Amino acid sequence: MAASPFSQSVAERLQVRRLVVFGPFLALGLVLLVLWALVLWFALLYPKSLVEDLQEDLHSIALNAAQDTEQLLRETEGSLRTLDLLLLTRRNERQDLDATVSLLADSLRDNSRGITDVMLASADGRLWRIPSVTGEPYADLGAKSFLSELGRPGGPSIILGTPIRLRPGAHFVLPMATRLSAPTGAFTATVGFIDLDVLLRIYRTRSMRSGMAVLLERDDGVAMARWPEVPGLVGTNMRQVPGGEVLPPSPPASGQFMVTKSPADGRDRIVSYRVLQDYPLRLFVSFERDRILAGYLQQRRAVLGFSLVVTAIAVGLMAWFTRLQQRTRLREAEREATADASPMGLFRCDLQGRTVYANETYLRLMEVDRKDLAWGWLDRLSPSERELTREQWAALVAVGGTGRPRAAVDAPRRLGTDGASADAADAPGRAHRRARRDDRRHHARARRPTRARAQPGRHERDGAERQRHDAGRRHR
């Protein structure tokens, strides 16, 4: 019989034993590996995804807020251009008192929904409303106001001034001035004033989340408007504030960055900005970094705590299971040592008739090497009986050893250690005993001729003595 079945049996047993020993540790190790991989993702990569998602939202808000600001500035510029064209046709000394000009000015105010007001200005900073009731200037900005830039040779045709109050207690307004095409008298420019509160109201509708801020800044660094408002910030040059130089002189049209200790409120912020196309302005939309990660940090602490508890429990289970396996292996070793010391030959076989265990006494009595243990009992039979014995074994296993179907066998009472029935499990035992008897007969036949020549009349004398002994017993 080939040794491959036994080799397969040993390999299977070793594989099962390794699986029993290392399987639980491998399973727990994989669980812990997956758990901590998720924890690392949550601790390192998830915050980045939160920031990236927020940056996309900020970019979209900055784009919309910039479009709203540009639209308002274009409407104001359009009103100033319209007024300039009308003044070309109404050339008189007191254009601020002209009825047609006054009617157009009122119409422009109404069309802007009260957001924009238009006035006439002189080079020295004086302002007149349209119409001017008394003929006196409405406000005097001074000779060094933003209007002086219009008279500078090569200066811009449109000027955006710093937000101002025209009267004490009035709202801040954002001034926009343009030169007249044909100055008449004292008037050299038209000026439009945008109500800053209305502009901030537009920004407030865009920044719906707490912790978000919108800042409108001129390209020279002067803060023009901010929501939420910071007292004293409007009109401040941000470049002169520590940390305020956040962009290069000629930045891209849009971008994103992070700033620590924002010059506006001193907080860490994630910023997205947009440069207005036709005006020297930049709009920044920012969000407090701590507010983004506040909820996440609480979740991270909870996840880390849970992971540490699970890891501690898993390590405890592995330690307990290790001790349990050590005790189990010790008991198995004691049983094997006891079985090896037994004077009886002990063996165990599977449902196919392959011997899977035998103690040393069995190997010694059967004169079988351990490497030939699997089918050693079958090899001891004569070749003519081997196939028949295997068929008988298979038949006994199939019917449970009693002629009934296998399902009807009383398993707890009749099954052996490895699943074979008691009747079926005895088949190799009977074969083993028959193999031993055949072996003894073979040795006896090999010795019989010599013994017969040495004592030729021994069997006859023994037969006669037994007959006389039996006759005496019957007589008594």
Side-chain angles (χ1 to χ4, degrees):
M1 181 66 63
S4 58
F6 172 66
S7 301
Q8 294 175 2
S9 175
V10 171
E12 292 173 359
R13 287 168 55 201
L14 291 176
Q15 187 176 7
V16 170
R17 179 170 295 182
R18 292 193 192 100
L19 213 58
V20 170
V21 173
F22 299 108
F25 299 102
L26 181 61
L28 283 175
L30 288 176
V31 170
L32 292 179
L33 180 62
V34 172
L35 175 64
W36 282 103
L38 292 175
V39 170
L40 290 176
W41 172 83
F42 188 75
L44 300 178
L45 300 181
Y46 184 66
K48 294 182 180 179
S49 66
L50 288 177
V51 172
E52 290 174 357
D53 293 341
L54 179 64
Q55 286 178 336
E56 292 180 0
D57 294 340
L58 294 179
H59 179 74
S60 176
I61 294 173
L63 176 61
N64 294 330
Q67 290 175 348
D68 294 340
T69 305
E70 285 180 344
Q71 181 180 358
L72 185 58
L73 293 174
R74 287 195 181 98
E75 291 177 356
T76 304
E77 183 182 358
S79 298
L80 296 179
R81 298 294 185 189
T82 302
L83 183 60
D84 181 36
L85 290 176
L86 180 63
L87 292 176
L88 287 175
T89 62
R90 315 295 295 182
R91 301 183 62 83
N92 53 60
E93 293 295 330
R94 301 296 301 177
Q95 292 174 331
D96 58 322
L97 301 176
D98 190 282
T100 304
V101 175
S102 299
L103 182 62
L104 176 62
D106 290 338
S107 176
L108 294 176
R109 293 188 187 101
D110 293 339
N111 291 338
S112 67
R113 302 174 300 280
I115 300 175
T116 305
D117 192 7
V118 291
M119 297 185 185
L120 293 173
S122 63
D124 57 2
R126 291 176 298 169
L127 299 175
W128 285 266
R129 284 186 60 86
I130 305 174
S132 175
V133 178
T134 62
E136 296 296 325
Y138 179 78
D140 189 353
L141 303 180
K144 295 182 179 181
S145 67
F146 67 94
L147 294 173
S148 62
E149 294 291 327
L150 291 176
R152 182 168 54 86
S157 60
I158 296 179
I159 294 293
L160 286 172
T162 304
I164 57 175
R165 296 180 189 269
L166 296 178
R167 295 287 176 88
H171 292 170
F172 271 103
V173 290
L174 178 65
M176 173 187 286
T178 180
R179 286 193 298 268
L180 288 176
S181 300
T184 302
F187 306 130
T188 59
T190 56
V191 184
F193 295 96
I194 302 172
D195 192 340
L196 205 59
D197 286 349
V198 176
L199 184 61
L200 294 179
R201 195 179 306 128
I202 295 174
Y203 293 159
R204 185 168 62 246
T205 59
R206 294 296 181 184
S207 58
M208 299 297 294
R209 300 172 60 179
S210 177
M212 187 175 292
V214 180
L215 173 68
L216 182 64
E217 180 182 286
R218 204 163 58 189
D219 58 1
D220 60 355
V222 176
M224 309 293 280
R226 188 184 188 274
W227 177 261
E229 295 183 73
V230 176
L233 181 66
V234 174
T236 302
N237 194 324
M238 304 297 290
R239 295 181 180 178
Q240 298 176 358
V241 179
E245 188 67 33
V246 295
L247 290 179
S250 299
S254 62
Q256 299 170 345
F257 58 92
M258 297 182 64
V259 59
T260 57
K261 294 184 179 181
S262 168
D265 54 9
R267 299 176 182 176
D268 298 346
R269 288 186 171 273
I270 299 173
V271 185
S272 179
Y273 74 91
R274 187 88 179 177
V275 176
L276 275 65
Q277 293 181 359
D278 300 326
Y279 303 97
L281 296 173
R282 296 175 295 197
L283 190 137
F284 298 85
V285 179
S286 61
F287 195 87
E288 293 181 25
R289 188 174 183 273
D290 292 341
R291 288 182 180 269
I292 303 173
L293 304 178
Y296 159 76
L297 292 176
Q298 296 179 356
Q299 296 174 359
R300 187 176 69 176
R301 285 192 291 268
V303 169
L304 288 176
F306 173 77
S307 302
L308 290 174
V309 170
V310 170
T311 302
I313 294 175
V315 171
L317 286 175
M318 286 191 288
W320 170 79
F321 193 73
T322 300
R323 290 194 297 269
L324 183 63
Q325 283 189 335
Q326 290 175 350
R327 289 195 294 266
T328 302
R329 288 196 295 269
L330 180 60
R331 286 195 294 268
E332 289 180 354
E334 290 174 350
R335 284 197 297 268
E336 290 182 2
T338 302
D340 291 339
S342 173
M344 294 184 295
L346 304 177
F347 69 95
R348 187 168 62 244
C349 58
D350 59 14
L351 294 176
Q352 285 74 35
R354 186 167 43 234
T355 304
V356 296
Y357 168 76
N359 64 353
E360 295 296 332
T361 305
Y362 172 90
L363 298 175
R364 186 173 61 256
L365 293 176
M366 291 296 295
E367 298 179 356
V368 175
D369 292 336
R370 187 167 292 278
K371 63 182 182 62
D372 300 326
L373 175 64
W375 299 103
W377 66 272
L378 197 60
D379 293 338
R380 302 291 294 178
L381 300 177
S382 60
S384 60
E385 295 181 346
R386 292 174 186 172
E387 192 62 33
L388 178 61
T389 303
R390 291 192 66 170
E391 292 176 357
Q392 291 174 352
W393 169 273
L396 286 171
V397 171
V399 300
T402 61
R404 294 176 293 169
R406 183 175 180 81
V409 178
D410 186 2
R413 180 174 59 85
R414 300 182 60 82
L415 285 180
T417 305
D418 281 355
S421 65
D423 294 336
D426 193 45
R430 293 195 297 269
H432 296 171
R433 291 191 291 273
R434 186 163 66 250
R436 291 181 61 190
R437 288 196 300 270
D438 292 345
D439 189 51
R440 285 197 296 271
R441 289 171 184 169
H442 174 73
H443 289 294
R445 284 195 295 269
R447 292 193 299 269
R448 190 174 298 162
T450 304
R451 292 175 61 189
R453 288 192 297 270
Q455 298 179 2
R458 180 176 177 180
H459 293 288
E460 288 80 359
R461 288 196 302 272
D462 292 343
E465 289 177 0
R466 283 196 297 273
Q467 289 178 0
R468 286 196 299 273
H469 179 68
D470 293 339
R473 291 179 63 187
R474 284 196 299 271
H475 178 71
R476 288 194 297 266

